[in-house]
């Protein structure tokens, strides 16, 4: 039955592989000075999967944690959206396998390839499904990028890691938080800045400086738009959870949005850049910090170019 329902986030989850890779290992491989990576990116370590690990297993760990945190039965999930750029196979999609691994019998399941802004696209789409269909939606953003980087290409080798993050959306006005406003955008004129060409397996970053500038532009523009939509001043934001692409990128965005640096999540330090997974990973890791009345701004930009922003309002109890 379709209609109009409230929608709120009722569960958070995350997962990372066991192996933590510190900068010293990569700096030695690339002949970089000690501390070079952290100075340029804000990253000290990242997590990489083992040889036998697969995307859906990592995604299932985060999804299971979110379901447990929401304290719901798997049978209550009506839809699974998997935001990933590194599925287990090009065909078939990975979301049905993820749903199977989580015991989500009969739930719809679809992959969403939105690159680094994939979670924001999935969040907006999932919120719409909840509001019109009245069914719970599980969103998982997960990537295994360690298998897609060229270890000899400095631009990508120093940044990317593997991780998964998840949220559960429910037709309820009594969850932890709800979506206040959102903005999604794209700019295909910069389509080839970051790519994995058809038939190939390794990522190429063609122009890091241009990508940096365009990521700052898109994240700032979308952030301003959602604040304007909600009639919210920058000083009302209690938490800024940007895509963890590079600390210099999101610090520039925070500055242009006139946000205090103290409100910015910095999970990039320990977890690196896991593309679409960084925002839900950050939300799950930082959930003990959120309190009633808090406004949380999310922004992202990545390959495509795709980008977006969303504003969350925490309604009540702390979600820890």
């Amino acid at each position: 039955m379709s209609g109009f329902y409230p929608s709120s986030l009722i569960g958070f989850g995350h997962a990372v592989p066991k192996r933590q890779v510190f900068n010293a290992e990569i700096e030695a491989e690339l002949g970089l000075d000690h501390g070079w990576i952290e100075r340029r990116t804000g990253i000290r370590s990242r997590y990489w999967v083992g040889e036998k690990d697969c995307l859906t297993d990592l995604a299932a760990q985060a999804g299971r944690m979110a379901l447990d945190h929401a304290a719901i039965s798997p049978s209550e999930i009506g839809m699974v959206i998997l935001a990933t750029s590194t599925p287990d196979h090009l065909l078939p999609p990975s979301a049905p396998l993820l749903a199977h691994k989580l015991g989500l019998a009969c739930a719809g399941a679809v992959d969403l390839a939105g690159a680094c802004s994939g979670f924001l696209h999935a969040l907006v789409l999932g919120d719409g499904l909840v509001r019109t269909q009245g069914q719970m939606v599980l969103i998982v953003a997960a990537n295994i990028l360690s298998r897609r980087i060229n270890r000899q290409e400095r631009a990508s080798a120093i940044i990317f890691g593997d991780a998964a993050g998840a949220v559960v959306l429910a037709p309820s006005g009594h969850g932890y938080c709800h979506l206040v406003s959102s903005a999604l955008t794209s700019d295909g004129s910069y389509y080839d800045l970051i790519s994995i060409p058809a038939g190939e397996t390794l990522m190429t970053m063609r122009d890091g400086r241009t990508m940096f500038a365009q990521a700052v532009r898109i994240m700032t523009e979308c952030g301003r738009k959602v604040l304007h939509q909600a009639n919210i001043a920058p000083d009302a934001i209690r938490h800024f959870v940007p895509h963890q692409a590079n600390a210099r990128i999101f610090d520039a965005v925070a500055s242009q949005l006139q946000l205090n640096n103290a409100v910015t999540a910095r999970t990039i330090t320990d977890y690196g850049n896991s593309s679409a997974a960084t925002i839900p990973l950050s939300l799950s890791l930082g959930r003990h910090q959120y309190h009633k009345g808090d406004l949380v701004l999310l922004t992202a930009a990545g390959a495509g170019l795709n980008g977006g922003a969303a504003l969350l309002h925490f309604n009540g109890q702390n979600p820890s």
Side-chain angles (χ1 to χ4, degrees), residues 20 33 61 134 169 178 200 265 277 310:
Q20 187 175 13
D33 293 337
Q61 292 177 46
L169 287 165
H178 67 276
E200 299 185 19

Side-chain angles (χ1 to χ4, degrees), residues 3-231:
F4 182 81
Y5 303 85
S7 175
S8 59
L9 279 72
I10 65 168
F12 298 89
H14 67 275
V16 295
K18 293 180 180 179
R19 183 188 173 201
Q20 187 175 13
V21 180
F22 292 91
N23 288 345
E25 177 179 336
I26 298 172
E27 288 168 341
E29 286 185 5
L30 295 174
L32 300 173
D33 293 337
H34 175 71
W36 190 92
I37 293 176
E38 184 174 0
R39 290 194 300 271
R40 295 294 295 268
T41 66
I43 298 170
R44 295 176 185 167
S45 69
R46 73 288 290 144
Y47 289 80
W48 286 354
V49 296
E51 184 178 346
K52 296 183 179 180
D53 295 328
C54 64
L55 186 282
T56 49
D57 284 340
L58 187 64
Q61 292 177 46
R64 192 170 295 110
M65 180 177 178
L67 293 171
D68 290 345
H69 185 231
I72 62 170
S73 165
S75 63
E76 296 180 72
I77 297 295
M79 185 69 186
V80 178
I81 303 176
L82 174 61
T84 185
S85 299
T86 59
D88 284 340
H89 304 281
L90 292 178
L91 187 73
S94 293
L97 180 58
L98 170 61
H100 172 71
K101 289 182 176 181
L102 290 172
L104 308 182
C106 300
V110 64
D111 288 10
L112 190 157
C116 296
S117 63
F119 173 74
L120 293 182
H121 283 73
L123 179 65
V124 173
L125 293 173
D127 185 72
L129 285 171
V130 172
R131 291 181 185 277
T132 57
Q133 300 298 320
Q135 292 186 312
M136 293 190 189
V137 175
L138 172 66
I139 298 171
V140 182
N143 281 294
I144 293 178
L145 291 165
S146 62
R147 293 179 182 156
R148 297 291 176 259
I149 56 177
N150 180 347
R151 296 285 291 271
Q152 303 308 311
E153 182 185 79
R154 186 175 65 186
S156 60
I158 66 174
I159 292 175
F160 292 106
D162 307 331
V167 299
V168 176
L169 287 165
S172 169
H174 303 290
Y176 297 120
C177 62
H178 67 276
L179 184 63
V180 177
S181 60
S182 64
L184 302 175
T185 191
S186 68
D187 186 348
S189 66
Y190 295 98
Y191 187 73
D192 65 347
L193 286 180
I194 302 176
S195 65
I196 302 176
E200 299 185 19
T201 59
L202 298 182
M203 181 189 307
T204 297
M205 298 183 67
R206 290 180 173 81
D207 188 339
R209 289 187 177 183
T210 299
M211 187 66 224
F212 185 106
Q214 294 307 315
V216 171
R217 175 182 66 84
I218 286 177
M219 292 169 72
T220 301
E221 289 176 355
C222 290
R224 284 176 178 154
K225 186 172 183 178
V226 298
L227 292 177
H228 177 74
Q229 287 174 348
N231 193 27

Side-chain angles (χ1 to χ4, degrees), residues 58 250 313:
L58 187 64
F250 58 68
H313 179 259

